[in-house]
Amino acid sequence: MISIETLTALKDAVGAKGWSDDPHELAPHTCDWRGRWQGETPLLLKPATTEEAAACVRICAREGIAITPQGGNTGLVGGSIPRGEVLISLSRMKQVREIDTANDAITVEAGCILESIQNEAEKVDRLFPLSLGSQGSATIGGLISTNAGGVHVLRYGMMRDLVLGIEAILPDGRIWNGLRGLRKDNSGYDLKQVFIGAEGTLGLVTAATLKLFPKPAETSVAFAGIPSPAAAVDLLGLAKSASGGTLSALEIIPRNALDLVLQHIPDTRDPLDQTHPWYALLEIGAARVGEGRAAMEDALSSGFEAGLVTDAVIAESESQAHALWQLREPIAEAEKAHGKAAKHDVSIPVSKIAAFIVEATAASERLVEGANVIAFGHVGDGNVHFNVASQEAGAGDAFLERCQPATEAIYDLVQKYGGSIAAEHGVGTLKSDDLAERRPLEVELMRSIKSALDPKGIMNPRVLIPVAR
């Protein structure tokens, strides 16, 4: 129990607008988007500045009170759902502190929504390339803490590759200002990388200096029918060569995922005349108008000749390009409308994706009666969203229980092919035990780092590193 005096001190630290214990306001902060976890918190804190956030952490550190940090609450592995901890949301910290076009950098606070950062970059003719389905609500603090990926990792890298510096509050309440817009800084350990992907277990990220890039003069998007995942991998190589390295995305979509999108997402349609077992969505960004289109035509032409592409369409306008992406980005939303599914966000070396999908599909169908495997994702970086849904609509928790043997088999295959059970969504509470079982030494090292920085264990307990038994 938190004493009345401590609750009062926390409320005073953020002012009247900076806290809530109203059950109606707490409700959306204590459950996840998928409806898998339901948590609780005695108090929601909403600091408006780094100093207010630091004051909250200092009080919690002094009293030994656990903290759950939360961004836009778009996470998918339970990492931002409190289980009785004080909840700190940085949603009010949304200032753009600086845009430095000469340095191709933007400094923003942790509560800034990804889409707003993209828009700010566009105002100065720059690109912030991180792009994902939840970009209208995901915040940069959460994206940094989970090392988010998205659809453009192939060309621009993960979140950690886009961060030049961060500002963070340490577990004792001290503020570390590492907001350096430097691309070269060999003055010891790269401390920002310790916090990126740590899922709030080592501190509270309050601001970041991010990389900006030249905005492509032309972006060409195509949607192609393909025979298999193996064809997608081979097409990736052709598209890389044809584009001279400017291929920014190559997504794979199975027909059953497209069917769910067409059924549940308004204003979507199949752009091809015939159905195909698999599809590839390609995007090429070019420095000069016409080069992207030409590269896309070369890639698809080579694909046709090699038997990798059976039909394709190239977007003729920005609205058509958006319509093609709308066949990929809302797949998770369409899956949710169909029913609950056992979801596996895994990464595999690109050369082994096709073999993994074939083997994991066979295992899932063998172990789960009525399974409908939906395997889609980012071929360009090896990230496969391998989901086991039910053929019947409306599946619930009972179906998820039946999928547990398939999950074990899928993770065994990930290990066999040298992959990771946590590609871009993070570990959270969902995969912490699995990670400890499969990578015990790495978890032991992470536990040592956490003990050094957070000896009281108040920062997002239970997440990433399982509680020692």
Side-chain angles (χ1 to χ4, degrees):
M1 289 289 293
I2 303 176
S3 70
I4 294 176
E5 291 78 12
T6 300
L7 287 173
T8 300
L10 288 168
K11 293 173 183 178
D12 288 344
V14 292
K17 295 182 179 180
W19 65 272
S20 178
D21 56 10
D22 178 5
H24 294 291
E25 185 172 356
L26 296 184
H29 291 276
T30 55
C31 64
D32 69 301
W33 177 77
R34 286 177 177 165
R36 182 162 187 169
W37 293 280
Q38 179 61 57
E40 60 180 353
T41 181
L43 184 65
L44 168 64
L45 296 170
K46 302 177 289 182
T49 66
T50 300
E51 290 71 24
E52 287 184 1
C56 293
V57 175
R58 281 196 297 273
I59 294 168
C60 289
R62 184 183 69 218
E63 302 297 329
I65 296 168
I67 296 167
T68 293
Q70 189 177 92
N73 198 23
T74 59
L76 301 174
V77 290
S80 62
I81 304 300
R83 295 289 196 279
E85 300 90 0
V86 166
L87 183 62
I88 298 183
S89 168
L90 301 182
S91 59
R92 294 175 68 205
M93 293 184 58
K94 53 181 65 176
Q95 296 296 314
V96 176
R97 294 187 184 177
E98 182 185 21
I99 300 178
D100 184 349
T101 54
N103 194 41
D104 280 331
I106 182 171
T107 300
V108 298
E109 292 182 340
C112 284
I113 292 172
L114 173 56
E115 195 168 67
S116 70
I117 297 173
Q118 295 168 341
N119 293 338
E120 290 296 325
E122 187 162 358
K123 289 177 184 177
V124 293
D125 198 31
R126 295 294 191 276
L127 172 72
F128 183 64
L130 186 69
S131 179
L132 35 79
S134 61
Q135 61 193 32
S137 51
T139 63
I140 202 66
L143 295 167
I144 289 172
S145 295
T146 56
N147 186 30
V151 298
H152 292 147
V153 172
L154 169 62
R155 183 170 180 182
Y156 298 102
M158 296 281 284
M159 185 74 245
R160 69 171 67 254
D161 301 302
L162 302 175
V163 177
L164 292 172
I166 67 168
E167 174 187 86
I169 299 169
L170 304 181
D172 61 7
R174 287 180 294 168
I175 300 170
W176 173 54
N177 187 344
L179 293 173
R180 305 181 186 100
L182 302 175
R183 286 161 176 81
K184 287 185 176 180
D185 184 3
N186 279 339
S187 51
Y189 299 141
D190 190 356
L191 294 176
K192 67 178 182 291
Q193 296 295 347
V194 175
F195 295 92
I196 300 172
E199 301 188 33
T201 61
L202 301 179
L204 198 61
V205 174
T206 51
T209 299
L210 309 170
K211 295 178 184 177
L212 298 179
F213 294 83
K215 185 180 174 183
E218 179 191 51
T219 300
S220 182
V221 177
F223 191 81
I226 59 175
S228 66
V233 174
D234 290 341
L235 181 60
L236 172 67
L238 292 179
K240 282 181 176 180
S241 298
S243 66
T246 61
L247 179 70
S248 53
L250 197 155
E251 302 287 296
I252 187 172
I253 304 166
R255 180 67 208 190
N256 56 359
L258 182 60
D259 285 338
L260 288 179
V261 170
L262 298 175
Q263 179 182 351
H264 294 291
I265 306 301
D267 303 320
T268 55
R269 69 175 188 86
D270 188 340
L272 302 179
D273 294 332
Q274 309 260 326
T275 61
H276 304 268
W278 295 86
Y279 299 86
L281 179 64
L282 301 88
E283 180 179 289
I284 294 174
R288 295 177 180 82
V289 175
E291 290 183 353
R293 172 75 183 221
M296 186 68 77
E297 290 177 348
D298 286 348
L300 293 175
S301 177
S302 298
F304 275 113
E305 291 176 6
L308 306 175
V309 175
T310 49
D311 196 7
V313 60
I314 300 176
E316 300 290 347
S317 65
E318 189 173 330
S319 62
Q320 287 185 9
H322 175 75
L324 294 181
W325 272 109
Q326 271 298 97
L327 300 175
R328 161 61 183 92
E329 288 182 332
I331 289 178
E333 184 181 343
E335 284 182 315
K336 181 182 178 183
H338 178 72
K340 290 190 175 181
K343 304 207 169 187
H344 311 91
D345 165 51
V346 302
S347 58
I348 305 292
V350 172
S351 58
K352 300 174 182 177
I353 284 177
F356 166 78
I357 290 177
V358 170
E359 214 171 325
T361 298
S364 300
E365 292 175 345
R366 183 180 70 253
L367 293 167
V368 183
E369 184 178 354
N372 179 28
V373 172
I374 302 173
F376 67 98
H378 322 296
V379 172
D381 57 47
N383 183 187
V384 179
H385 299 294
F386 192 92
N387 302 335
V388 182
S390 173
Q391 293 177 6
E392 301 295 326
D397 291 337
F399 177 77
L400 295 182
E401 287 294 323
R402 291 202 292 116
C403 289
Q404 190 55 42
T407 293
E408 291 299 316
I410 291 163
Y411 286 169
D412 285 345
L413 288 170
V414 169
Q415 198 161 338
K416 169 186 172 181
Y417 284 107
S420 169
I421 65 170
E424 64 177 0
H425 295 164
V427 174
T429 57
L430 178 65
K431 300 180 180 180
S432 57
D433 288 337
D434 288 307
L435 185 67
E437 178 184 339
R438 294 173 184 277
R439 296 186 180 182
L441 180 55
E442 292 177 32
V443 170
E444 181 184 331
L445 294 172
M446 288 190 282
R447 195 186 301 278
S448 297
I449 294 170
K450 181 169 175 63
S451 296
L453 292 179
D454 182 21
K456 293 186 177 181
I458 67 168
M459 296 303 303
N460 226 9
R462 303 171 293 99
V463 171
L464 185 57
I465 303 168
V467 177
R469 295 181 175 88

